[in-house]
Amino acid sequence: MRVSLKHSTVQRGLLFKKTFYQVACTVLFSHEEIQILRQRNLLKTKLIDRRPATAKVDDRDEKFELLINDLTNGKTDRFLLANPSSAKLYEETLLDALQQLKLWINDNAELADDLVVEF
C-alpha cells in the first residue's frame, strides 16, 4: 500500500470567498491487497468518521464517512478543513487509520493456524 497526501488551499463561494484547507489522499493498493479486500467483502468498511468544514448543521454524518471503497482504484479523496491545524490533525488521524488498515489486511490474508493450549 502506497499513500500520497497533498495539502492545498481552496476558495469557495460566489460573493464572499472563504478559504478552506484541503487534504487530498491517494492510496495505491497492491493487487494482492485488492484481492483480499474483495474476497473478504471489506470494501464497504468504514475507516474514519469525519465532518468537513463546509458541512451544514442538518447534514447526516453517514454522508461524510470514509470507506475503503472510496480509496480503491487510485481514487483521490479530497477533504476540506477550516484551518491548517485541523488539516494536520486530520492527516495524523488518516495515517493512523491507514496503518491499522494495512495490519488488518495482513490479518485477513490467511486463516489462523490450529492451536492447542494446555493450562
Side-chain angles (χ1 to χ4, degrees):
M1 176 181 349
R2 183 182 201 148
V3 179
S4 172
L5 294 171
K6 183 180 178 186
H7 290 259
S8 60
T9 57
V10 175
Q11 292 203 354
R12 295 276 171 97
L14 295 175
L15 296 176
F16 303 105
K17 299 275 186 199
K18 187 168 182 183
T19 302
F20 294 101
Y21 301 89
Q22 177 176 276
V23 177
C25 176
T26 306
V27 179
L28 299 175
F29 292 100
S30 69
H31 181 70
E32 179 180 291
E33 291 168 337
I34 296 265
Q35 287 304 104
I36 292 168
L37 291 170
R38 285 187 182 142
Q39 288 175 354
R40 307 284 191 243
N41 296 322
L42 302 174
L43 292 174
K44 297 291 182 186
T45 305
K46 178 175 49 172
L47 281 179
I48 56 175
D49 287 317
R50 59 191 187 166
R51 193 161 184 86
T54 57
K56 294 179 177 59
V57 175
D58 58 346
D59 283 341
R60 297 179 53 191
D61 290 336
E62 294 84 24
K63 182 178 175 183
F64 306 116
E65 294 173 344
L66 180 62
L67 304 177
I68 295 173
N69 194 34
D70 297 333
L71 298 173
T72 56
N73 299 326
K75 297 177 193 171
T76 300
D77 177 68
R78 291 177 173 81
F79 190 67
L80 297 179
L81 295 122
N83 54 52
S85 177
S86 297
K88 291 174 186 174
L89 291 172
Y90 174 72
E91 177 185 334
E92 288 178 19
T93 303
L94 184 60
L95 287 176
D96 288 342
L98 290 172
Q99 286 175 345
Q100 289 298 319
L101 175 62
K102 178 64 176 174
L103 293 173
W104 196 49
I105 289 172
N106 290 339
D107 285 346
N108 278 293
E110 297 177 2
L111 296 175
D113 293 331
D114 293 341
L115 178 66
V116 175
V117 178
E118 187 175 317
F119 293 104

